[in-house]
Structure formats: structure tokens, C-alpha cells
Amino acid sequence: MTDAFKTDSRQMLGRLREVMAEEATGQTRLDRITQLIASEMHTEVCSIYLFRDAETLELCATEGLKAEAVHQTRMKLGEGLVGRVARTGTVMNTADAPREHGFRYMPETGEEIYSSFAGIPVQRLGEKLGVLVVQSKTARQYSEDEIYALEVVAMVLAEMTELGAFIGEGAALSARHKNPVGFRGLSAQEGTAEGHVWLHEPRVVITNPIADDPQRETERLREAVESLRVSVDQMLQSVQQGDAEQREILEAYRMFANSRGWMKRMEEDVGRGLSAEAAVEKEQSTARARMGMATDAYLRDRLHDLDDLSNRLLRILTGQGKETGAELPADPILVARNIGPAELLDYGRSLRGIVLEEGSVGSHAAIVARSLAIPLVIHAERITTEALNGDHIIVDGDNGVAHLRPEDTVLAAFRDKIAMKEEAQERYASIRDKPAVTLCGKTIALTMNAGLMADLPSLQGSGAEGVGLFRTELQFLIRNKMPTRTELAALYSRVLDSAHGKRVVFRTLDIGSDKVLSYMKPTDEPNPALGWRAIRVGLDKPGVMRMQLQALIRAAAGRPLTVMFPFVAQYEEYKAARAEVDKAMDRERILGHPLPATLEVGAMLETPSLAFAPDKFFRDVDFLSIGGNDLKQFFFAADRENERVRRRYDTLNVSFLTFLEGIVKRCEATGTPLSFCGEDAGRPIEAICLTAMGLKALSMRPASIGPVKSLLMRTDLDALRGVIETARNEGNQSVRPAVMEWLKTQP
Ligand code: PEP
Ligand code: MG
């Protein structure tokens, strides 16, 4: 790059800065910018197109095209060369525009056939805002330096667009951050909530994208990077010795913080007239764009690191910490790109709801949200860009929908729904202390699923008879290092204390598949759900399992203890696990520690193979619990985490119910206590059908106990059984339609 160009670029940015500083309406500013670029770049046309809505671009200012076309010419995303630049988010630079694929001649603009065309996307941190275009008659390819200068201008434009500098008469983005916006995502935890937005990471606002003193800006940049390096070093020092995984992450951070290439690119941008903040953000935008395209998980993670590092640097430069002065509203709905389980636990039950741009149903954050019973919507695309702190928002976790700044009609309908739910809750409270006795006189045991200390208060409030499934892995998942035996023993002891003598079924560590511990070496299996998980890990690496069993025995100390092994696929696995329990008991006995008053050891039936295990297995186990979530995914060969196939097979499918019935019969024949603890147990229709098939114990989320009990108390299971039999005999695929029809006839 020649020095002469550098000066030009800086000069252009300097003029741009003057235009921005002038008292003028948004439109006048846009007009001046197009004039300025056209004259500085010696090109006939310069135009700015901005998004009117997510799909439509509008010509908002031009130098060279007909003035009447401004705010009249529109095009769809992907339409013509401008639309193509907008869609791909990449620069187009051609000396022969008419020959380019997608070229569209627009006579209304008075456009002659311009040969050269350069289109630069106007975007901020991956968010598309518009396109900046230059055109000229002479067939020439714009030089790399010219394109660079235009990119810088586009970035400044993006920054200004964000700040609302163009808001005004007819400008495309005037409605931004004011209009209601609906988000259709996915439900990761049911429930509804109304409240106000709390951004987990408020966006850093850059008020000065252009700087007039590059030397000073360079110094500011260097100082900020230096203090970033120091803080990363400090973090590294404070990481505990054995914490290899965390060290590795921070080492990657340090590598980026010391990266010469990164620094050089930012310094070059500053040299061309950008402020230090804008230079950092430009790099960040590039990283985000690459992140969106990266298919390699490792590369994506590293780009995430770089993104995070850029945020830190921006906070240092702008002095905008997490503490932006905003106060947590009384009814906070957390809005974030993504969030870790530990961070979520920090907020705890103060949150009314959560909306994430990323995340997955099986993510740790989702597990924690479920455990705290906070409605959670994931995959709400772009919500962090649309939402501002304090915005009114409603979250419908039942349908995976969020409404930002909702309209009155939406709000009214939503409030009606909440009122109906509250009424139902009152009904459930009135039956809380009654047993679940059906109309035909059968008593069904209803217990709750739990995984955190925070769940235990629900034992009282929900009317659950005990904890039918305590998922011990949550304690492992929310930490960044392996908990110690002492820590676990103390925790399990507190769980038993809070249960006040009610039975708690502790399931041993169920990791692998979707539950990955950050401090364990990733195994990178092609099919993790069918891979090295749960009891398979426990038996292959018995150290952790032994430690956990000891902690459980010590926690029980004279109280009854119930242990359950997950994902047992064959009798031998159960035998080996049971032998570990016996060994642990012997060891504790020898050490003179008090032993549990009683000990029950059971298995989860989550693989079809176990349903066909020898009778001796059924007699050997103290109890069995059907893990319906896993069992169903293997029965139908449909991944429970895959949205495409997850809902394809109905739990009330005749084959599945018949299969469950077979398990019930085997357990009856062998006298094996049986329960069902998958998500389906908490769905009222599914629950009554499961009990009609002979299940007498169900374990579910605490919030489901009321609705399930209420329906059970109104159901004649013998009659329902008849309905199911008839539907089955008629060859129906699912009994659901018949059951729903029948329910309508019931009082
Ligand atoms: C199940 O698979 O049904 C179950 C209860 O276990 P998890 O959902 O924790 O895999
Ligand atoms: Mg399971």
C-alpha cells in the first residue's frame, strides 16, 4: 500500500467525521456521505442501501443515480448485485457488472449501464444493515486499497446506523428498537413469563468510530492490549495447578492476546483513521463472520475465544464494564447469545425467564434452567441485537416463542393464558397432600426428578412422595473441576436432610452423550448417544464411581440409601456395578464409618436390550426405573436431541406401549418394583396411559405433579385400558386420537 493512499483514506475518514459532526438530519448526512465518497474516489456513482425490513433493501441515498429513486427503489435480499452482496455478506468487485450472475438493470434509477461495480456489505458484528455501492462507467476493478477504504467507511456507516444517526424522515431503520418483534425459537423449558429484558452482556457502544489523531489512538490501543495481556496472565496464574482444561483455554487466550497479526491489523486500521475501538470491532466482525461459516468445532471454539477477547478489549477501551449502570429489573428476563450453567446459577431463581440465541435442549444451561423451572426459549435468532435493557418482553416457553415489546393484543392473549394457568395451580394446591387415587381405586406413587440443592424445596411444595430420580451429574456439570469426595458427601447429606426421611433415588454419574464435563478429555465419538457414556464410563474408569459411591454411603450415615445405575444394557454391567457397591460398603465398614440403615440398588431400563435380560436379572435388582427419554430414542432409533426427528414418534405409539406393557409384566412376574422417570411421566395424557399399561410409580418434574395427579384422580384406568385395547386391535398407529376422544366424554 502506498503512503499516498493511506493519506487519502485518512483524509476521507476525516471528512466523514466532519460530516457526522455537523448538525444535520439523517437524510442530509447520508446524502453528504455519498457525495463525499464519490468525489474522493473519483467514481460516478455512490449509493447507500439500507434494510427496510429483514428481506427488503431500500435505496436511501445516492450520488449519481436519479434523486427521485431515493426511498422508491427497493429490492429483495438476493435480488440483483446489491441484493447478492447483502445476502452473502461479502464484497463484490467487478469491472464488468452486466456479465455478473444476477445483474439486474433498474431503469427507474436512471442508471446507465455502469461497467464497474463494487458492493460492500454494511454490517455490524455479523448483523446485516445494508450495502454501500460505488459504480463507474470505465471498466476497472477497484484496487484492494480502495476496497479497504470502502470497508472502513461501511463500518463507520454501520456504527452510525446503529446509533440511529440516520433515523428520520423515511430512513429505513427508523423503527429500530421500538417496534414489537416476535421470535420463534425452540422450547427448552416450558412455562410462561412476562418481564423486562436484562442483557447478560450489554453491547458495548462505540461513539467515536473515527479518530483524528492516529498516534494517540495507537497508544490507546497498545495500552489496552497490554492491560488485556496482564489480565489474561493473572487469570492463568490463578487457575489451579491440576486444572488442565481451563489452562488450555486461557493459553489460547494468551496466544491471541499476544498475536502479532491481530495487533498489526488493528494498528493498520487505526493508521487509516479508525478509532482504537472501531479497529477492535472490525477484527471482531471478521471473526464473527468466519465463525458463522466454520464447520470445524475446534476452529469455532477458537473464534469464540477471539470474540470473547475482543469484548474484553472493548470494555477496557470504552470503560463500559458489565456494570453499565443499568439495574436488574424486578422481573428480569435474561437475554443472551448463550450462557454457561454456573453463570445461570449465579442469577438463580431471580430470573423470570431466559431467551437465548444459541443453546440446545440438552445443554447444561438448559438442564439448570429446567431444574430451576425457569421458562427457556433457545434459538431466538438475533434477539441480542434487537433487545435493549429494560424492554418489555414475554416468554412463552411452552411454544418456544418470545415477544419483544409486545403489542396490546398479544399481551392480552398472553395474560389470559397466564391467568388460566394460575387458576389451575390453585386447583393443584388443593390436592397437594392427597394421594393420587384413580376413579377405579388404584393408587399411583408420584415422585419428583431433581439434580440440584435448589430443587429440594419443591419436594414440599409439589406434594411429591420422594425423589424418584436425583441426577447427580448436574453437580459435576456446573463446575469447572471434579468435585471432591468430601464435597459430594456433604452435598448428598444435605439432600437427604432436606428430604426429611422421604426416599431419594440417587442415580450415579450419567455423563457422556450430550452431557460433557469440561474437565474431562473430549472423546470425539461419531455417535455419542450410542457411545462411551454413563455406566460404561463408570465401569471402565472406576475411580470416579468408587469416589461417588463412598460419598453416598458416607452421606447416608445411618439413614436409608437408594442408588441407581444409569444406562445398563446387560445383566453383567449391573453385576459389576453392584460389586462396586458391595466393595465400597465393605471398605466403609472396615474404616469404621456408619453404614446406611438400608440399601437398595437398582438400574435404569433405558436400552431395549435390558427388557429382554434373564429373569435372574429382574430378581437381582432391588428395583427398576424406565428412563423413557433414552429408551424411546433407542426404541424408535430417533435422536432425542435432533429436532428433525425428536417429535416424529409418539410415546402413545402402539408398539412402544406394547413394549412397555411387556416390561411391566416381567416385573410383575418377578416381583420387581418398577417406575418410569422420563419426561413423558410428567405429561398428563402420557401419564394416564402409562399407568393404564400397569405402571404404578411415576417420577417427573415437580411442576408436573399437580397436573398429572389432577387428571389421574379423574380417570378410570380400567376404562382407559379398554380404549387403548380397542385402538390397538383396530390397528391404529397411536392410541392418542382415541384417548383424546374418550377424554372429551369424561366428566
Ligand atoms: C431418561 O433417559 O429418561 C432419563 C430419565 O435420564 P436422562 O434424561 O437424564 O438421560
Ligand atoms: Mg437417560
Side-chain angles (χ1 to χ4, degrees), residues 26-276:
Q27 186 62 50
T28 314
R29 268 206 193 122
L30 279 187
D31 293 343
R32 295 221 181 122
I33 292 170
T34 51
Q35 286 156 14
L36 180 109
I37 296 171
S39 87
E40 291 281 325
M41 293 197 57
H42 313 290
T43 181
E44 283 107 351
V45 177
C46 173
S47 314
I48 294 169
Y49 297 81
L50 295 175
F51 276 100
R52 171 157 279 276
D53 56 49
E55 288 293 315
T56 324
L57 283 155
E58 180 177 301
L59 177 67
C60 285
T62 185
E63 173 68 17
L65 300 183
K66 264 196 205 156
E68 303 90 85
V70 171
H71 295 306
Q72 299 304 322
T73 295
R74 292 192 188 158
M75 62 203 64
K76 290 278 169 220
L77 191 64
E79 191 184 338
L81 299 190
V82 175
R84 201 171 124 193
V85 172
R87 186 167 50 81
T88 58
T90 50
V91 172
M92 179 186 284
N93 180 11
T94 172
D96 192 359
R99 292 195 60 172
E100 285 293 327
H101 175 69
F103 174 80
R104 199 184 70 136
Y105 175 59
M106 290 183 293
E108 70 272 27
T109 59
E111 185 176 21
E112 299 171 42
I113 305 284
Y114 288 101
S115 197
S116 313
F117 172 99
I120 319 292
V122 178
Q123 49 195 355
R124 184 181 186 272
L125 297 180
E127 188 197 358
K128 294 172 174 159
L129 300 167
V131 181
L132 169 67
V133 173
V134 289
Q135 291 168 285
S136 58
K137 279 187 201 146
T138 32
R140 68 169 175 122
Q141 188 112 9
Y142 293 94
S143 72
E144 230 175 75
D145 294 344
E146 284 172 310
I147 294 294
Y148 176 87
L150 285 172
E151 280 183 306
V152 170
V153 174
M155 190 194 154
V156 173
L157 271 172
E159 207 58 56
M160 295 322 232
T161 310
E162 271 297 286
L163 289 174
F166 306 134
I167 290 175
E169 353 45 68
L173 298 175
S174 58
R176 197 73 201 278
H177 292 142
K178 283 196 194 121
N179 274 350
V181 195
F183 297 88
R184 180 159 292 282
L186 294 174
S187 163
Q189 162 65 20
E190 290 143 30
T192 43
E194 178 182 348
H196 291 88
V197 168
W198 177 254
L199 289 168
H200 178 54
E201 287 201 315
R203 38 203 330 203
V204 174
V205 182
I206 298 176
T207 47
N208 59 337
I210 314 167
D212 42 17
D213 185 349
Q215 211 165 342
R216 227 190 95 234
E217 285 306 297
T218 309
E219 275 163 28
R220 283 185 63 230
L221 180 68
R222 286 184 184 161
E223 276 166 25
V225 170
E226 191 45 42
S227 72
L228 178 74
R229 283 179 189 151
V230 171
S231 76
V232 173
D233 283 346
Q234 278 167 351
M235 281 194 275
L236 252 170
Q237 271 162 16
S238 66
V239 179
Q240 306 215 344
Q241 266 307 313
D243 209 337
E245 203 71 34
Q246 221 186 337
R247 286 195 79 80
E248 217 172 274
I249 294 172
L250 287 172
E251 293 287 2
Y253 273 39
R254 181 154 71 176
M255 189 187 79
F256 281 126
N258 287 296
S259 154
R260 288 230 202 97
W262 188 48
M263 193 66 203
K264 190 165 154 258
R265 286 193 300 274
M266 291 193 294
E267 285 189 353
E268 271 176 15
D269 289 331
V270 166
R272 288 171 178 131
L274 285 195
S275 68

Side-chain angles (χ1 to χ4, degrees), residues 469 471 473 507 510 514-515 533-534 566-567 604-606 626-631 633-634 640 677-678:
L469 167 67
R471 291 178 160 108
E473 60 276 7
R507 174 175 78 181
D510 182 10
D514 60 313
K515 299 169 200 154
R533 52 177 292 201
F567 213 65
M604 285 189 79
L605 198 157
E606 306 188 89
I626 296 176
N629 306 336
D630 274 313
L631 186 63
Q633 81 165 334
F634 298 121
R640 62 191 263 194
C677 66

Side-chain angles (χ1 to χ4, degrees), residues 324-342:
T324 42
E327 266 186 41
L328 190 73
D331 48 8
I333 306 275
L334 185 96
V335 172
R337 217 141 54 86
N338 214 341
I339 188 166

Side-chain angles (χ1 to χ4, degrees), residues 540-582:
D540 289 357
K541 296 244 179 262
V544 178
M545 193 205 243
R546 286 178 189 151
M547 185 266 281
Q548 192 181 24
L549 290 172
Q550 280 167 8
L552 284 166
I553 296 168
R554 287 186 192 178
R559 294 179 282 191
L561 175 64
T562 312
V563 180
M564 175 163 79
F565 291 104
F567 213 65
V568 176
Q570 55 182 10
Y571 186 16
E572 290 306 316
E573 286 166 347
Y574 175 75
K575 276 199 232 168
R578 172 84 219 206
E580 287 295 342
V581 178
D582 294 340

